[in-house]
Amino acid sequence: MTDGLTLTTATTMASLSVATRFLPSTTATRTSYRSKLSLKSLRFSPLLSHVFLPQKCYLPPLSTRRVGYSTVSSPKCFASDPEQLKNAREDIKELLKTTFSHPIMVRLGWHDAGTYNKNIEEWPQRGGANGSLRFEIELKHGANAGLVNALKLLQPIKDKYSTLTYADLFQLASATAIEEAGGPKIPMKYGRVDVSGPDQCPEEGRLPDAGPPSPASHLRDVFYRMGLNDKEIVALSGAHTLGRSRPDRSGWGKPETKYTKDGPGAPGGQSWTVQWLNFDNSYFKDIKERRDEDLLVLPTDAVLFEDPSFKEYAEKYAVDQVAFFKDYAEAHAKLSNLGAKFDPPEGFSLDDSPPKGQPEKFVAAKYSTGKRELSESMKQKIRAEYQAVGGSPDKPLQSNYFLNIMIVIAILAYVTSLVMN
């Protein structure tokens, strides 16, 4: 990179191990962060001074357009181009393989979306997944320490696929990181519109703190403001199965443990789980047992097994990974949509349906009802009827014998009527 965001390899790799949680927003954390990584040198970076460009138009293939007396369909303008999003997803997968940046990518998507306030209707004042985290003023929020490195990793992909919005790219990277780490498939939709300038960034203080005086009340205050419930709070907490916490950034965790001293990436930090690059339900098991001093347990982690409502779900997820994956996928998708403005308004999926503007291929079977398997006796009867006229269900008839017979009967009836007359 030559865009002014270049950091040393050691600094970059150290950043990749940051935990997926919303980190605490404390004065001490902000002071420590600013002393270690000054953002003044980033002021003229294309990444931080980005101004939202006009949307690119997505034109369906020629075969799907009507041509005639001014009947050519108008091109559909989307916030992001569907095909470029698909290509970007493949590039993100390759990036994850070489940088082990799964945790910080999840955190990036969460922190862009997690500023949403359901009590504010106006966009973008309500916050949420709108790409505002790319601007320096929001990056300097204490809870976002180190996320500049996630932006640095994604910027070449953004440059390569210029029609993508940052809002879509952040959420695409977050969901892809979960899936590539062995987690569930997230039912994502895309088409998020970016805010245009730093004046549209939310104020600091909307993200959770790791060690509040009353952890349960704090979690509910923050997540209820987003419109999430207790089940979703616990399910999303399970993403701490990925990543490490570093005391020089969050103020939490050990400088190094037996699980983190050798990386991958820069060594150090304290993880919640032993295999901190694998997405599974280990977080709930380890938090419940609390037998390993090298594994991190924050106040907001411990409360999941202390608060009666949270405990119901935490206990369930500790023994049932399938249930955890199902609830996590739904909660992650919901979080990624918070506060977003979509273009097209309903958004679009990269996997389950064609991009808006392209007609869906007609498949008759999709619209049929009452389909059931034929019994063996019925199959044998049909086969016998085919064979009686020289055919087989496995080999189409060379000619339509039934039609020929009907024609012959009709001719004979006509001739007979002539003779009788």
Side-chain angles (χ1 to χ4, degrees):
M1 293 273 299
T2 59
D3 59 1
L5 286 177
T6 305
L7 305 176
T8 64
T9 302
T11 302
T12 301
M13 293 310 297
S15 71
L16 303 183
S17 61
V18 68
T20 61
R21 76 156 34 256
F22 294 110
L23 294 180
S25 175
T26 64
T27 303
T29 302
R30 292 196 298 273
T31 303
S32 172
Y33 173 52
R34 292 171 185 171
S35 66
K36 291 182 178 293
L37 180 61
S38 173
L39 288 174
K40 292 181 179 179
S41 62
L42 306 177
R43 187 162 298 160
F44 300 103
S45 162
L47 177 63
L48 303 180
S49 60
H50 171 76
V51 176
F52 184 60
L53 299 175
Q55 298 172 12
K56 298 298 181 67
C57 292
Y58 173 71
L59 190 62
L62 183 61
S63 61
T64 67
R65 286 179 280 156
R66 298 167 53 201
V67 180
Y69 295 95
S70 302
T71 59
V72 179
S73 301
S74 299
K76 298 288 186 180
C77 293
F78 296 164
S80 296
D81 177 75
E83 290 304 316
Q84 289 207 359
L85 271 171
K86 290 181 181 179
N87 293 333
R89 180 171 58 186
E90 298 307 309
D91 287 3
I92 290 171
K93 290 179 181 178
E94 293 302 314
L95 177 68
L96 294 169
K97 292 177 183 177
T98 58
T99 62
F100 311 106
S101 56
H102 307 69
I104 200 172
M105 292 303 173
V106 175
R107 181 171 169 247
L108 178 69
W110 279 28
H111 282 219
D112 195 45
T115 60
Y116 174 63
N117 187 340
K118 66 181 178 60
N119 300 314
I120 301 175
E121 294 184 3
E122 297 78 13
W123 183 93
Q125 291 87 342
R126 63 194 182 205
N130 56 30
S132 63
L133 190 50
R134 73 189 188 273
F135 292 111
E136 178 180 354
I137 187 173
E138 190 169 343
L139 279 172
K140 292 171 70 174
H141 292 178
N144 294 329
L147 285 180
V148 65
N149 295 287
L151 295 175
K152 176 184 180 292
L153 291 172
L154 288 179
Q155 188 60 36
I157 297 177
K158 177 67 174 72
D159 294 339
K160 182 178 179 180
Y161 304 107
S162 59
T163 66
L164 305 189
T165 64
Y166 280 99
D168 270 348
L169 182 60
F170 293 167
Q171 300 308 321
L172 175 68
S174 183
T176 303
I178 292 291
E179 295 165 10
E180 291 298 294
K185 182 74 174 178
I186 312 296
M188 299 290 291
K189 70 174 183 177
Y190 297 94
R192 296 170 187 80
V193 176
D194 276 343
V195 297
S196 59
D199 58 312
Q200 297 177 320
C201 291
E203 72 281 1
E204 187 167 5
R206 294 194 184 186
L207 298 176
D209 190 349
S214 179
S217 296
H218 176 73
L219 286 176
R220 288 192 173 99
D221 288 344
V222 173
F223 284 93
Y224 284 8
R225 187 208 69 221
M226 300 181 203
L228 301 174
N229 57 35
D230 285 0
K231 181 176 76 171
E232 291 160 339
I233 292 173
V234 179
L236 290 172
S237 296
H240 294 164
T241 191
L242 296 178
R244 302 171 281 181
S245 178
R246 294 181 181 274
D248 59 334
R249 293 203 185 136
S250 67
W252 295 91
K254 296 180 179 180
E256 180 181 278
T257 72
K258 61 187 175 185
Y259 304 120
T260 65
K261 63 180 181 179
D262 297 323
Q270 186 175 12
S271 60
W272 283 266
T273 62
V274 176
Q275 300 293 330
W276 47 269
L277 284 177
N278 292 340
F279 193 96
D280 54 26
N281 67 337
S282 295
Y283 167 79
F284 297 104
K285 295 178 179 179
D286 293 335
I287 295 299
K288 181 179 180 179
E289 295 176 358
R290 301 181 69 168
R291 297 177 181 174
D292 195 331
E293 293 183 354
D294 275 343
L295 297 180
L296 182 62
V297 180
L298 297 172
T300 46
D301 301 317
V303 76
L304 300 183
F305 284 95
E306 297 168 357
D307 179 88
S309 179
F310 289 158
K311 184 177 180 179
E312 174 188 351
Y313 301 107
E315 292 279 5
K316 178 182 179 180
Y317 298 152
V319 297
D320 191 342
Q321 181 168 285
V322 173
F324 166 53
F325 273 26
K326 176 182 179 295
D327 291 348
Y328 178 84
E330 294 173 357
H332 186 123
K334 183 176 179 178
L335 175 67
S336 74
N337 294 337
L338 295 181
K341 180 168 73 172
F342 287 91
D343 179 17
E346 68 277 13
F348 58 86
S349 168
L350 299 185
D351 303 304
D352 301 328
S353 61
K356 306 299 179 182
Q358 288 191 6
E360 182 180 1
K361 183 178 179 180
F362 178 78
V363 180
K366 181 177 179 180
Y367 300 95
S368 64
T369 59
K371 180 181 178 182
R372 61 181 181 180
E373 183 70 13
L374 294 175
S375 66
E376 286 302 319
S377 59
M378 181 60 72
K379 290 179 181 178
Q380 292 299 326
K381 182 177 180 180
I382 294 174
R383 182 178 297 276
E385 291 175 353
Y386 267 96
Q387 293 172 344
V389 292
S392 167
D394 304 318
K395 182 179 180 181
L397 298 176
Q398 296 301 314
S399 62
N400 194 325
Y401 290 101
F402 291 108
L403 180 60
N404 293 342
I405 292 172
M406 294 301 296
I407 293 174
V408 170
I409 293 174
I411 293 174
L412 290 175
Y414 179 72
V415 171
T416 300
S417 66
L418 290 178
V419 170
M420 293 297 295
N421 289 337

